[in-house]
Amino acid sequence: MSLSPEAIATLSGVSTATITTVLLKKGLRNVWMRGTKPLRPGQPRLVGPAFTLRFVPAREDLATPESWSSPISTRTAIEAMPKGCIAVVDAMGVADAGIFGDILCARMVKRGVAALITDGVVRDVEGVLGTNLPVWCDGFAAPPSVAGLTFVGWGEPIGCGGVAVFPNDIVVADQDGAVLIPQASLDHVLAEGPEQERMEAWIVNEVNNGAALPGLYPMNADTKARYAASKK
């Protein structure tokens, strides 16, 4: 799935906090990926289709340095990543084995990957930061992935930070972490997200002007009428 430039531009103006609110109203509560924190403060909001990768617990006969040369390896998976995708990696929340380091992240940059998101950690953190690949993760650790994980494949449904992620679902990441938009809900978020942002900006302005919260947030009928009038 490719996102149109218009869709990317729209979602780039909608915070992950707003997206969770819009999806909550639609009945989707579990869309924020736990443990996905920006590796570098101030990373810009990014939008892209998910390219999924999955690890399982380490097994001694499979999680070896030799596995890095296997046809089923993170190295091979990176070569399959399309430009503009966001790599979303199920690392099972393991925090003592870095799934990707500076060399792999550098190759992702060369392939035009938009970002890396994982509920695990990275290694070679200074080098990773030096690649300028935007990363959302749960920290960093020195040991390699095979110290605690076995890589098993890509392009299939995964769980990342407790959220079910299917290939080509839409991911938005900012300072609050990473949020998933199911493909079937994309049009809804594109329609409702900007309006939610406009409404909340208007409410913030009212608060800054001294308005009390009861009847303002959430809006009562009179406040809704004033807000509607402000848009004319």
Side-chain angles (χ1 to χ4, degrees):
M1 176 185 181
S2 60
L3 278 172
S4 70
E6 293 78 15
I8 292 174
T10 297
L11 292 175
S12 295
V14 180
S15 72
T16 56
T18 292
I19 292 170
T20 62
T21 299
V22 169
L23 291 175
L24 177 65
K25 292 177 179 178
K26 193 176 173 63
L28 293 168
R29 297 176 179 272
N30 189 36
V31 295
W32 177 70
M33 299 177 216
R34 298 153 188 85
T36 56
K37 296 170 285 193
L39 185 61
R40 187 198 305 271
Q43 290 180 165
R45 183 175 300 129
L46 289 177
V47 181
F51 182 96
T52 58
L53 302 92
R54 185 165 67 96
F55 286 86
V56 297
R59 208 178 78 183
E60 287 75 9
D61 61 328
L62 298 175
T64 65
E66 289 74 22
S67 68
W68 295 331
S69 299
S70 166
I72 301 177
S73 69
T74 52
R75 282 72 171 158
T76 307
I78 288 171
E79 298 307 315
M81 293 178 181
K83 182 178 181 180
C85 77
I86 292 181
V88 183
V89 186
D90 175 5
M92 304 174 54
V94 170
D96 56 2
I99 58 162
F100 286 176
D102 54 352
I103 295 174
L104 273 63
C105 288
R107 180 57 182 162
M108 292 168 69
V109 170
K110 288 295 185 182
R111 290 197 55 78
V113 174
L116 166 64
I117 291 172
T118 181
D119 55 2
V121 300
V122 296
R123 65 195 299 246
D124 304 313
V125 65
E126 289 187 12
V128 170
L129 290 170
T131 70
N132 291 318
L133 177 71
V135 176
W136 279 260
C137 64
D138 204 19
F140 38 85
S145 61
V146 293
L149 293 162
T150 301
F151 182 70
V152 292
W154 63 92
E156 59 186 341
I158 62 168
C160 183
V163 176
V165 183
F166 286 73
N168 292 319
D169 280 339
I170 309 308
V171 177
V172 182
D174 60 17
Q175 295 303 297
D176 282 350
V179 167
L180 174 132
I181 303 173
Q183 293 183 52
S185 299
L186 176 59
D187 289 343
H188 176 74
V189 174
L190 288 172
E192 298 297 326
E195 171 57 21
Q196 183 76 24
E197 290 282 2
R198 284 191 294 269
M199 182 183 70
E200 293 194 4
W202 184 85
I203 291 172
V204 168
N205 185 64
E206 291 290 299
V207 170
N208 289 337
N209 287 332
L213 292 178
L216 174 67
Y217 187 61
M219 292 181 178
N220 59 21
D222 289 341
T223 304
K224 288 179 180 178
R226 288 198 300 114
Y227 172 62
S230 74
K231 296 192 292 183
K232 295 179 181 178

